[in-house]
Amino acid sequence: MRKSSLRYSFLVASLSIISFLTACGSSSSTGASPAASAVSTASSTAAATTSAKPVTISFLHWRGEDVNSLNGIITKFQAENPNIKVEMQTMPSEQYQSTAQAKLADGSVGDVFTSFPGAQFEALAKAGIFTDLSSEKFLSNFNDTLIQVGKKDGKQVAVPYQLVYNDPIYNVKLFQKYNLTPPKDWAGFLALCETLKKNGIIPIAFAGADIGPGQFMNTMVMNNEPSTDIFTKVEAGQAKLTDEFWVKTLTQFKELNDKGYLQPDALGTKDAAAGALFIQEKAAILASGSYQLAQNKKQNSNLEQKLLAPITVAADQAKFEGVHTSTFMLAVNSKSKHPAEAKKFIEFLSKKDIAGTYANETGQNVTVKDVQYTTPELQVATEWSSKKTLFQPRFSITNADNQKAVTNSIQAVLSGKSPQDAAKEAQAIIDQHLVK
């Protein structure tokens, strides 16, 4: 009896094991056993968690005054793209030009970054920092003519976002008060400055210690230069800074300074201090550009501003009315670990409504098509779209040392050096790079 019971128990146990194994090996209508489904579900959850993990990209640029507007835009971007976080870092423009490349080199910052045209653009291209954006659909959102400066070797590697007119700003009410209008020749410009000086008004606020030489040189040289590629020729050894066009420009800088048409100690005046003279209406002209219109208005709501460019030749010899620049060039770092997300952020910035928000909040004209400008300051700059303007001459200098030599020669003249000697010293630096 005991043996029969044992056999029966063994048989039941065996059948139970077989039944369990069969159940484990059977397929349900969903194609997975409960155990397999549990494993699959866990794997899917892990995968979903991984894919939903936020990606952080770095946005590096020099426009600290745009941070409030860009913070709002970034908030909108993150709401539409909850898995992408944008961390923004800014630097002063002068510092940005000298140190940004080192920061971008290892890809730890600046997944999206901006570049100045000219020397910085060329240096970053040579270092292989840019990602080719030529096939990106968002390029169609931009005015194609205005973004050509972002091309290198036929590839669109950066996309200029801002359209700037590097023409001095003038106080309309002060001009009206003294019955002045923007002059059409150099003699007229000097006469205008003299009238302002006699009435106790500083004719020109000039930031000689930092941005002034690099900004004001553009309109001062635009009609003096014999060809629009003159600085390209200088860097190629086909022309020299000691030629008439640059010596004349330096001579005219000296004339403005010697006659007291720049504020006292112009060489020691920084951008903010020069701007303050204009904002406080102690100076009638600010030698900067359209990018400062909105900031000026924000600090003095009574200001009425327009742009003018000194015509350094006789009226019938003038080839250009002013200067423009496509700048704040958006790019993706070739070392970025998140290039897709970086491109998505630039695509967002290129949307017409987003570009319009940026433009109207910051006072910067943009290269995005069909943007509606709502502020008087932006409309002032837009008036210049129909004028004959030259792309900023300074940014046609592609070597940073050469560019510095040119602007330093202006500072040298303001410190008392003769235009001829200042030009010779600058040319000596150009010659050093020609030897290389």
Side-chain angles (χ1 to χ4, degrees), residues 146-339:
L146 296 175
I147 65 171
Q148 292 300 307
V149 69
K151 285 189 173 180
K152 182 67 176 176
D153 299 326
K155 298 177 181 178
Q156 191 81 47
V157 297
V159 190
Y161 199 50
Q162 293 181 353
L163 175 62
V164 171
Y165 291 96
N166 303 85
D167 306 319
I169 304 167
Y170 73 93
N171 184 314
V172 174
K173 292 178 181 177
L174 280 178
F175 271 47
Q176 290 173 342
K177 181 177 180 178
Y178 299 111
N179 197 30
L180 300 171
T181 56
K184 298 184 181 300
D185 56 21
W186 184 241
F189 188 71
L190 294 176
L192 176 146
C193 289
E194 184 64 25
T195 298
L196 290 165
K197 181 184 174 185
K198 284 181 176 179
N199 284 281
I201 304 295
I202 297 168
I204 306 168
F206 178 73
D210 45 39
I211 72 166
Q215 292 299 312
F216 201 28
M217 69 161 279
N218 297 295
T219 49
M220 290 288 284
V221 79
M222 68 181 181
N223 285 309
N224 289 343
E225 59 182 26
S227 63
T228 57
D229 62 347
I230 188 61
F231 285 110
T232 301
K233 290 179 178 177
V234 168
E235 290 195 292
Q238 299 166 4
K240 293 181 179 295
L241 293 178
T242 51
D243 292 346
E244 181 185 0
F245 84 97
W246 190 242
V247 173
K248 178 184 177 182
T249 301
L250 291 177
T251 300
Q252 290 173 316
F253 266 102
K254 177 177 169 57
E255 186 174 14
L256 292 175
N257 194 44
D258 289 352
K259 290 184 174 180
Y261 298 157
L262 308 181
Q263 80 277 8
D265 190 28
L267 190 58
T269 305
K270 292 189 174 182
D271 179 33
L277 291 173
F278 181 80
I279 291 163
Q280 295 165 13
E281 303 191 70
K282 295 177 181 178
I285 299 171
L286 177 62
S288 59
S290 66
Y291 54 89
Q292 285 192 316
L293 287 166
Q295 291 299 314
N296 294 341
K297 184 72 170 182
K298 188 178 293 185
Q299 295 180 65
N300 181 353
S301 60
N302 293 320
L303 274 180
E304 187 177 341
Q305 309 168 90
K306 287 195 174 183
L307 304 176
L308 66 79
I311 305 301
T312 58
V313 296
D316 61 354
Q317 295 175 356
K319 297 170 288 187
F320 299 102
E321 297 174 86
V323 168
H324 75 270
T325 309
S326 299
T327 185
F328 204 65
M329 302 165 73
L330 299 167
V332 173
N333 194 333
S334 62
K335 306 294 190 344
S336 171
K337 295 180 176 62
H338 309 292

Side-chain angles (χ1 to χ4, degrees), residues 320-377:
F320 299 102
E321 297 174 86
V323 168
H324 75 270
T325 309
S326 299
T327 185
F328 204 65
M329 302 165 73
L330 299 167
V332 173
N333 194 333
S334 62
K335 306 294 190 344
S336 171
K337 295 180 176 62
H338 309 292
E341 290 82 0
K343 290 175 183 177
K344 199 170 188 67
F345 182 56
I346 295 179
E347 178 183 14
F348 188 78
L349 292 174
S350 77
K351 292 181 177 180
K352 183 174 66 173
D353 58 329
I354 298 300
T357 296
Y358 172 80
N360 290 302
E361 288 182 348
T362 64
Q364 303 303 308
N365 291 72
V366 292
T367 57
V368 175
K369 293 186 292 190
D370 302 324
V371 167
Q372 297 297 311
Y373 298 117
T374 60
T375 69
E377 289 70 39

